[in-house]
Amino acid sequence: MHEIVTVQLGQRANYVATHYWNTQEAYHTFPPAPLSPVDHDISFRPGIGADGGETYMPRTVIYDLKGGFGSLKRVNELYELESEAQGRGSIWTGPTIISTAPPIHPSPYLASLSTGGTSPQPTISTVKYWSDFSHLYYHPRSIVQLNDYSLGSSIQPFENYTSGDELFDSLDKEHDLLDRDLRLWVEECDQMQGVQVFTAADDAWGGFASRYVERLRDEYGKVGIWVWGIEDGQEEDRKDKKLLKATNSARALHDLSTYASLYVPIASIPLHIPTYVSLNRLSPWHTSALLIAAIESVALPFRLRGDGRRRTTFSDFEAALNTNGNQRIGQLTFSALDPHVSKDKLRLVVGPSHGDRRAGNPLYSHALVEEDGQETRDIAETNLDIDLLPRGMKESPASLMRLGKAVHCFGRVESFRGPFATLGVETPYDDDEASRKRRRLHGVPILERYHSSLPFEILDTFPEIFRDVSESRLVAVQASLSTTTAVAQRVKGLQRVVARTVGLDERESLRNGLGEIVEAYEEGWSSGSDGGTDD
């Protein structure tokens, strides 16, 4: 079935993941509506509620700090009877002391879902927690509150990488977190293709995530592990806070890219925002919505039905992106368009699909472009509107071009969704190792494209961040994951920070580890820097 199990770590990640799950739930269709092109069994699990009714809930484990869940209850209406029965069966007969915190009231949107009334659209003022715009139920096993830290505490802030590392170690020694929280989700899968992790990367959650992913790798061997590492894009006024975040990012990038199959660092606010995006930078509800339009679109091929074709999996993307075996850090970019604009603006080249497209409904097609000519270079190096790779102004593509440093692409996977025009490519699909080696020797990027006619839908829980969207509330998206030399520039910037902020006992090993990452993303073999021979 190629299931994907999701792990969500922290407030910032949970905002993004809530948009993700709302979007997944919206793909569900019921007779007599046509069958959805999305295979829900990949992301959702069937079950039985306390009243004996069938349930269908996300395959996810959600971690957050004390106070981070808002009004969300661990046990929802589908499992309340079961919870009450367990409570009546308690064997404790001694005195009890009840301590209650001030109640957190549900947002108007959540309250309307409970009463069955008309749902008012969430707004910036009503969304105070990620649960305030969540549209679906989670299994009680999905909710894991970490009581050692409180959300927003100024006395004991959860902001240092080491704090997250130490918290994971202490909890894991006491409970064996993977065995307690994750194993049952994995054992329910028939053929799990991988685990995806949403996490903050520039605070303590980066340290927690690194230890979690290390344990995942030890426990599940060669299974695909993808990490979406979200960094705060807000401009930091205090220099010490800015250096702390950069140091946390450096440690997270080094550690997570060591154990993950693919690590995708993402800025919560991109450096440059196109005019068709209206973003409130202070609202995590807004900024996370922009990110999920890219994440959900580029990862859509994993969740589409095979319909007789070989399914696309994590490993297919990894093979295209990791061209030399050491390129496990991806760069995420995307563009969004109203699908009702002229078709001339929605053109891409799509080659032969894995299956039969003669039915007139090309919900999914796939092509691997193999030409050794300039056209492939141009396509692979095309800049999309929004670049989500975190970096400072000195690391931006424009600044690199001014310094004469063109960004080189090693591998790129593109996902097109919406009514893009399709033009045939006569090159046959060829995915053997020999063809990949030939492209690498010629310095030609490995480029794969996936196309689905399913557009991105603007739900009622989604903020109005895309200007001039038609009444259909649909958006055509072109999203790309790539491995490029821009990653090396980002890592070099982090190396310089580490040299100033990390103690001697850790500095050399961390700088050397980051240096190895830079070498994997340098274009030295084609720029002439390695032209000589060593003595």
Side-chain angles (χ1 to χ4, degrees), residues 45-206:
R45 63 174 294 277
I48 303 296
D51 61 354
E54 294 184 359
T55 63
Y56 209 49
M57 295 183 176
R59 300 181 189 274
T60 190
V61 184
I62 307 171
Y63 294 88
D64 214 327
L65 304 181
K66 185 178 180 180
F69 289 89
S71 63
L72 181 69
K73 297 186 295 182
R74 182 175 184 272
V75 179
N76 56 57
E77 286 85 345
L78 298 180
Y79 289 88
E80 278 184 339
L81 295 176
E82 182 179 300
S83 177
E84 292 171 4
Q86 291 174 351
R88 288 194 297 269
S90 174
I91 62 174
W92 175 252
T93 58
T96 59
I97 298 176
I98 299 176
S99 177
T100 59
I104 299 176
H105 299 290
S107 68
Y109 176 79
L110 286 185
S112 67
L113 294 180
S114 301
T115 60
T118 303
S119 299
Q121 186 169 3
T123 64
I124 291 176
S125 61
T126 61
V127 174
K128 297 180 173 62
Y129 301 90
W130 54 265
S131 58
D132 286 338
F133 63 97
S134 177
H135 190 264
L136 67 172
Y137 288 123
Y138 297 97
H139 193 280
R141 288 204 323 255
S142 289
I143 308 300
V144 183
Q145 179 171 283
L146 305 182
N147 295 312
D148 302 69
Y149 290 84
S150 296
L151 181 68
S153 172
S154 58
I155 300 174
Q156 191 181 20
F158 197 58
E159 62 182 15
N160 194 301
Y161 188 91
T162 305
S163 300
D165 189 317
E166 293 173 348
L167 177 61
F168 180 89
D169 279 345
S170 65
L171 293 174
D172 198 43
K173 288 177 182 177
E174 183 178 356
H175 301 291
D176 189 344
L177 287 184
L178 265 64
D179 188 65
R180 184 193 72 177
D181 301 335
L182 192 72
R183 187 174 303 280
L184 287 174
W185 296 97
V186 174
E187 290 178 348
E188 288 177 345
C189 299
D190 294 331
Q191 189 180 1
M192 183 177 72
Q193 67 168 295
V195 179
Q196 70 170 346
V197 180
F198 292 97
T199 183
D202 58 354
D203 58 16
W205 283 110

Side-chain angles (χ1 to χ4, degrees), residues 6 49-50 79 85 98 113 133 152 187 196 210 225 242 250 300 332 336 368 394:
T6 301
Y79 289 88
I98 299 176
L113 294 180
F133 63 97
E187 290 178 348
Q196 70 170 346
S210 296
I225 303 173
K242 183 182 296 186
L300 181 63
L332 178 62
L368 178 115
K394 292 181 180 179

Side-chain angles (χ1 to χ4, degrees), residues 77 91 150 153 217 228 308 313 422 435 461 498:
E77 286 85 345
I91 62 174
S150 296
S153 172
R217 180 58 66 206
W228 308 98
T313 63
T422 60
S435 67
T461 58
V498 166

